Amino acid sequence: MLKRRLFACLFFSMLFTLAKAQFKINDLPEMVRKAKPGDTIRIPEGEYKNTQLTLTAKGEAGKPVVVIAETPGEVLLTGNSYLKLSGEYLEVNGLRFTNGYAAQTPVIEFRKNNESLANHCRVTQCSIDNYSRPERFNTDSWIVFWGKNNRLDHCTIGDKLNGGTTLIVNLDDERSQNNFHSIDSNYFNGHSRLGSNGGETIRVGVSRYSLTSSKTQIHHNLFEKCNGEVEIISIKSGENTISRNTFYECEGGLVLRHGSKNVVEGNIFIGNNKPYTGGVRVINPGHKVYNNLFLDLAGERFRAAFSVLNGVPNSALNRYYQVTDAEIHHNTFVNNKSIVFGAGKDAERTLAPENVGFHHNYIYSAKSPLFEDANKNGGIKFSANVFSGAAKAEAGFSKITSVKFFEKSFRSQSFRIPIDKNSGADISTLDWIDSDKAGASWFVMPGKSETPGTTYKISPDQVKDIQSTIAKFNSEGMIELQPGLYRIAQPIIIDKDITFVVAEGKKAEFVNASEKSLPAFFIIQNGGRLNVNNIKFNSAFESYGDVQSGISTTTKGMNDHYSLRVNNCEFFNFGEGGFSCIKGTKSTYADEVLVMNTIFRNNSGTAIDFSAEKDDKGIYNVEVLKVENCVFANLLSTAINVYRGGNDESTTGPTVMIDQSTFSEVDNREQGCVIKLIGVQTASITNSIFNQSGAGGRVIWFEEMSWDDLKVDYCNFYKSGRVGSFYNKVLGKHVYNLQPTFKDVRNYNFNLKAGSSLSNKSSKAKYLGANL
């Protein structure tokens, strides 16, 4: 036995020696296949591009076959690379997937194929970052569990930009049910908003198998800014335990979506009063939620700090089973915006929770009531709870007048958490998980360059140098245009953070110098951020070809988010038939678009168009659109069009804010519309003038859900169409029908004349409408 062990040590010592000079990554699967229980194979550091690793091993309990990076984090799997594990007791350690994407498979999958699954296998000290597929809705999952008793631990998972749940536990056959997987001590480091359903960080099961037990353990992980959608963790199976995790500034929550008898214990949710930050949502029977801490969470409704949903009678598997026989106890809630029992109550979800115990909890709140009970039928049994703060007492609660606090420092923050010996969470025993306890110990997230961008000056006769100038910038820069006429022969591609200004506060004019039609003057691609100032965009110049958009996103699709800022510009002569001054194309997504101090005039196409997502699946392509102090005049078509179809409830946007703007003679066609906001969840249209616009139909068109936050107030409608909405609750008390008197319409000066009847009608200024 001693000789055999010595031989094995010598053999793998020799392999390690050969690795640096002769190691071939494609030989690794065969090495692993031949390895004996307890053997270790080291991968030398380096970049391995387009590497597909399918590893099958036969280790033993306490003697796994280990595949480890010689230097953790320095084995880079790039391009189209992935890892498949199968067999028994195989451990993979220290790999980094970066700068690529898996084109047709998950990045890490615990199976070789349908016949060969992984059991008792482990992936540890690995990372996945900058590994999203290039198009937003080319969906995939990065990590997929099959088999039983597998573990993912101490891994760092970066921002996933394309659709598809980051990590999935599959229960599609009996070999993967009752699996006892462990997902622990990982750092889920951000997930950008997807603008659609399908942006979960973890999902355990699916509705089809939701009556099946998974028994997966999710514990001691850090979830930071996981904002993909409303469900950060989506539990769709039974008897799982989610414990001892920390959720930091996540726009969503831990959702017991399907399945029963799940346990949520010892977790910490920290919102820092960031919008949409949530906690736990309970659906289905038999759950236990206890010893959790909910701090400064600002979410409401499905993103509330805590919510128990109403169910659907005779519910299908994929809808909402009634909540019954649940126990919610010894939790602490501190300064949260919303706690809701009977959340989602509507014409479909009519089954109130039954026999739900809510006891020995501590709510610290300065507002009343402490919570919302949409049903008030006794289905929630409140007892032995306590509260403190300025809120009024509720049945089943007693007030603590002498409050004691537990003080905790975390991430340079100081928290004072009220405590009680009989109620609330046992704060002193909770695990505050930060990056020193979770994630790959070697991983350092790449930082963005802090080098300030350079400024280049360009004159009209140097117009061909604009694109090559952008190429000179590292990640950001400024181009100062000299006033004059710029003859653009090709679209200017924006793939960096670029600002355009015009010298001397004057304006530059962009026109088409080609006989062919241009798709746009500016096209934003991945990595692009665009800030334009003082530019005139002229779509029809002399006998040259037209231009379909002033500013557009790529038609090839993007996975990265972009932002756009347009200030003191002018758009004119854009034709009809799909033309738009500003356009967001399908499968692109803007975090924010800000348009201000700008004139849109004499256009047949749409002025601002974010309506490309027509699949009616809750998808949209702009999170926040702000229009301030703008004029829309003499437009054949719609001024602003934002579309989000379907009835999905997993997202936050779009949000549209229109303020201090003037719309004059816009879309007076039969059944025309000035502003279309279909499916927009938050909208504010204020301090604006609508003059002889939408006369053949609607001036504003909403199609909203009952919970959407929509407001039209401090607005004037003169000889204009109606404001249409499903619930007819959007109009405020300050709506006028007075004739505006503008200074100089012929020259597009739509400032109100002094002494106008609309003076002093605004909520915040001395005038309504734009003042340019």
Side-chain angles (χ1 to χ4, degrees):
M1 179 65 71
L2 181 61
K3 290 181 179 179
R4 188 165 66 182
R5 288 181 179 175
L6 179 60
F7 175 79
C9 291
L10 289 173
F11 174 78
F12 284 103
S13 175
M14 182 173 65
L15 175 63
F16 174 80
T17 303
L18 291 174
K20 295 184 178 180
Q22 302 177 16
F23 182 86
K24 294 181 179 180
I25 193 70
N26 292 334
D27 294 337
L28 184 61
E30 183 65 12
M31 296 177 192
V32 174
R33 188 185 68 82
K34 293 180 177 180
K36 300 296 188 293
D39 287 347
T40 296
I41 302 171
R42 298 182 183 275
I43 306 176
E45 61 185 61
E47 179 178 354
Y48 300 90
K49 190 173 183 178
N50 300 327
T51 300
Q52 291 88 44
L53 296 177
T54 301
L55 307 182
T56 302
K58 190 70 174 177
E60 296 176 357
K63 295 181 180 181
V65 173
V66 177
V67 178
I68 187 170
E70 179 182 338
T71 304
E74 295 300 325
V75 172
L76 307 180
L77 295 166
T78 63
N80 179 20
S81 297
Y82 61 78
L83 169 66
K84 290 177 177 284
L85 303 89
S86 66
E88 304 275 339
Y89 297 100
L90 169 62
E91 177 182 318
V92 177
N93 188 319
L95 308 184
R96 180 179 183 183
F97 292 88
T98 189
N99 299 331
Y101 62 94
Q104 296 180 326
T105 70
V107 182
I108 299 172
E109 186 171 19
F110 285 85
R111 71 171 181 176
K112 177 181 179 181
N113 49 42
N114 288 336
E115 288 70 41
S116 182
L117 308 185
N119 294 289
H120 299 283
C121 292
R122 180 186 185 193
V123 175
T124 185
Q125 291 290 339
C126 293
S127 75
I128 308 174
D129 69 284
N130 192 25
Y131 220 67
S132 300
R133 290 182 178 177
E135 295 189 11
R136 183 180 170 206
F137 292 114
N138 183 358
T139 62
D140 68 342
S141 293
W142 279 357
I143 304 163
V144 178
F145 276 80
W146 301 88
K148 295 185 178 181
N149 296 291
N150 296 311
R151 184 184 183 194
L152 180 84
D153 68 282
H154 295 92
C155 293
T156 297
I157 312 300
D159 189 1
K160 187 173 185 291
L161 299 174
N162 64 311
T165 305
T166 304
L167 186 157
I168 289 175
V169 176
N170 267 322
L171 308 177
D172 288 8
D173 62 47
E174 292 184 2
R175 296 174 300 166
S176 297
Q177 298 167 3
N178 293 292
N179 53 62
F180 296 97
H181 296 316
S182 181
I183 302 165
D184 67 275
S185 310
N186 302 292
Y187 183 9
F188 294 92
N189 189 6
H191 193 310
S192 298
R193 293 176 180 173
L194 182 61
S196 167
N197 192 10
E200 304 97 328
T201 298
I202 294 177
R203 190 186 77 230
V204 182
V206 293
S207 59
R208 181 179 178 183
Y209 296 98
S210 59
L211 302 183
T212 301
S213 292
S214 182
K215 297 180 181 177
T216 297
Q217 314 293 309
I218 303 173
H219 61 95
H220 291 93
N221 301 286
L222 171 61
F223 299 86
E224 180 171 3
K225 293 183 170 66
C226 292
N227 304 334
E229 59 142 277
V230 69
E231 299 180 12
I232 301 165
I233 297 179
S234 182
I235 301 298
K236 297 185 176 181
S237 54
E239 298 186 76
N240 301 286
T241 300
I242 306 94
S243 62
R244 303 283 163 170
N245 303 285
T246 296
F247 298 80
Y248 190 82
E249 295 183 358
C250 293
E251 294 180 357
L254 191 172
V255 181
L256 306 179
R257 183 63 183 88
H258 300 301
S260 60
K261 298 181 181 179
N262 292 292
V263 174
V264 178
E265 180 271 326
N267 302 283
I268 299 173
F269 300 83
I270 303 172
N272 288 328
N273 293 308
K274 302 286 186 180
Y276 309 116
T277 49
V280 172
R281 177 155 52 109
V282 178
I283 311 160
N284 301 290
H287 302 306
K288 295 181 179 180
V289 182
Y290 62 94
N291 200 38
N292 300 283
L293 173 62
F294 303 84
L295 280 171
D296 301 320
L297 301 168
E300 299 178 273
R301 201 170 171 269
F302 285 6
R303 286 179 168 80
F306 188 83
S307 62
V308 179
L309 259 70
N310 267 21
V312 174
N314 302 311
S315 176
L317 282 175
N318 65 342
R319 293 306 290 155
Y320 295 86
Y321 275 33
Q322 184 182 25
V323 180
T324 61
D325 306 315
E327 288 293 322
I328 304 155
H329 63 91
H330 290 93
N331 301 287
T332 296
F333 303 86
V334 182
N335 293 328
N336 301 298
K337 189 171 185 178
S338 180
I339 298 172
V340 186
F341 301 98
K345 182 179 180 180
D346 59 14
E348 180 199 23
R349 290 176 290 231
T350 58
L351 280 180
E354 287 187 2
N355 194 33
V356 175
F358 190 88
H359 60 89
H360 293 94
N361 298 288
Y362 193 150
I363 300 178
Y364 185 90
S365 177
K367 66 180 183 65
S368 292
L370 291 171
F371 55 84
E372 175 188 351
D373 187 351
N375 300 293
K376 299 179 181 178
N377 67 336
I380 310 295
K381 303 183 183 302
F382 300 100
S383 64
N385 299 291
V386 298
F387 77 101
S388 57
K392 295 180 181 179
E394 305 279 351
F397 284 79
S398 58
K399 186 168 185 175
I400 295 177
T401 55
S402 180
V403 182
K404 296 181 180 180
F405 292 92
F406 178 89
E407 297 190 2
K408 174 68 178 181
S409 294
F410 182 74
R411 291 196 162 193
S412 302
Q413 294 177 265
S414 296
F415 294 100
R416 298 182 75 239
I417 303 161
I419 56 175
D420 179 71
K421 64 180 180 179
N422 297 316
S423 298
D426 188 352
I427 306 298
S428 64
T429 65
L430 295 181
D431 296 313
W432 297 66
I433 305 298
D434 206 347
S435 56
D436 60 335
K437 298 178 181 178
S441 59
W442 51 264
F443 187 86
V444 178
M445 185 63 70
K448 293 184 178 180
S449 173
E450 300 296 330
T451 305
T454 308
T455 298
Y456 287 93
K457 296 182 178 181
I458 290 181
S459 62
D461 60 356
Q462 298 172 309
V463 62
K464 293 181 180 180
D465 296 335
I466 293 178
Q467 194 67 67
S468 59
T469 301
I470 292 173
K472 296 177 182 178
F473 296 127
N474 181 17
S475 60
E476 62 180 282
M478 178 180 289
I479 294 177
E480 181 180 297
L481 302 174
Q482 301 304 304
L485 190 69
Y486 286 75
R487 299 174 181 268
I488 309 294
Q490 295 290 335
I492 300 167
I493 305 301
I494 304 298
D495 57 4
K496 299 171 184 177
D497 190 341
I498 305 298
T499 296
F500 284 83
V501 297
V502 180
E504 304 171 11
K506 297 182 179 180
K507 286 190 175 181
E509 183 174 347
F510 280 18
V511 299
N512 187 358
S514 169
E515 294 181 357
K516 297 180 180 180
S517 176
L518 293 181
F521 287 118
F522 287 113
I523 295 180
I524 302 173
Q525 295 185 352
N526 263 339
R529 310 284 188 273
L530 180 60
N531 180 349
V532 293
N533 302 268
N534 293 56
I535 296 178
K536 294 181 178 181
F537 297 89
N538 183 356
S539 175
F541 178 70
E542 296 180 350
S543 60
Y544 294 97
D546 51 26
V547 183
Q548 297 173 28
S549 295
I551 303 170
S552 176
T553 48
T554 178
T555 58
K556 298 179 181 179
M558 300 166 59
N559 63 15
D560 200 4
H561 296 189
Y562 72 96
S563 62
L564 172 63
R565 183 179 184 272
V566 179
N567 178 45
N568 198 27
C569 292
E570 195 170 341
F571 296 81
F572 51 99
N573 294 335
F574 286 85
E576 58 182 323
F579 284 45
S580 303
C581 302
I582 298 172
K583 184 173 186 176
T585 55
K586 186 175 177 60
S587 297
T588 65
Y589 182 88
D591 284 321
E592 182 179 70
V593 174
L594 173 59
V595 184
M596 55 187 180
N597 310 314
T598 291
I599 297 175
F600 301 84
R601 62 172 178 85
N602 300 340
N603 296 302
S604 297
T606 304
I608 300 174
D609 187 3
F610 288 92
S611 65
E613 301 292 353
K614 299 293 191 182
D615 294 334
D616 290 346
K617 296 179 180 179
I619 302 171
Y620 55 97
N621 60 4
V622 60
E623 185 68 31
V624 178
L625 170 64
K626 296 181 181 179
V627 179
E628 300 176 358
N629 198 37
C630 291
V631 168
F632 301 81
N634 300 332
L635 305 184
L636 176 65
S637 189
T638 301
I640 300 171
N641 189 359
V642 180
Y643 187 88
R644 171 185 174 270
N647 55 8
D648 178 70
E649 299 174 274
S650 65
T651 56
T652 58
T655 294
V656 176
M657 291 175 278
I658 302 168
D659 188 52
Q660 216 83 50
S661 294
T662 297
F663 303 81
S664 183
E665 298 188 49
V666 176
D667 200 351
N668 283 312
R669 298 171 299 176
E670 189 74 15
Q671 298 188 11
C673 186
V674 179
I675 298 174
K676 294 180 183 178
L677 303 180
I678 309 302
V680 168
Q681 298 192 71
T682 304
S684 173
I685 303 175
T686 53
N687 304 306
S688 295
I689 295 173
F690 297 85
N691 176 57
Q692 301 183 65
S693 295
R698 301 176 179 90
V699 65
I700 305 171
W701 182 6
F702 295 103
E703 284 189 7
E704 76 275 23
M705 296 295 185
S706 60
W707 52 82
D708 291 338
D709 183 9
L710 309 176
K711 177 179 71 173
V712 178
D713 207 3
Y714 292 97
C715 287
N716 185 73
F717 302 93
Y718 178 71
K719 291 186 177 180
S720 295
R722 62 188 176 88
V723 176
S725 74
F726 189 83
Y727 289 97
N728 295 316
K729 296 180 180 180
V730 300
L731 287 176
K733 298 180 179 180
H734 309 90
V735 175
Y736 315 107
N737 304 106
L738 304 174
Q739 182 176 3
T741 51
F742 301 117
K743 286 186 176 180
D744 188 357
V745 172
R746 183 171 296 180
N747 292 304
Y748 306 102
N749 184 343
F750 284 87
N751 296 350
L752 290 174
K753 288 183 178 179
S756 167
S757 59
L758 292 173
S759 298
N760 301 312
K761 299 294 186 182
S762 170
S763 66
K764 64 178 183 180
K766 293 183 178 179
Y767 56 87
L768 292 179
N771 189 38
L772 295 174

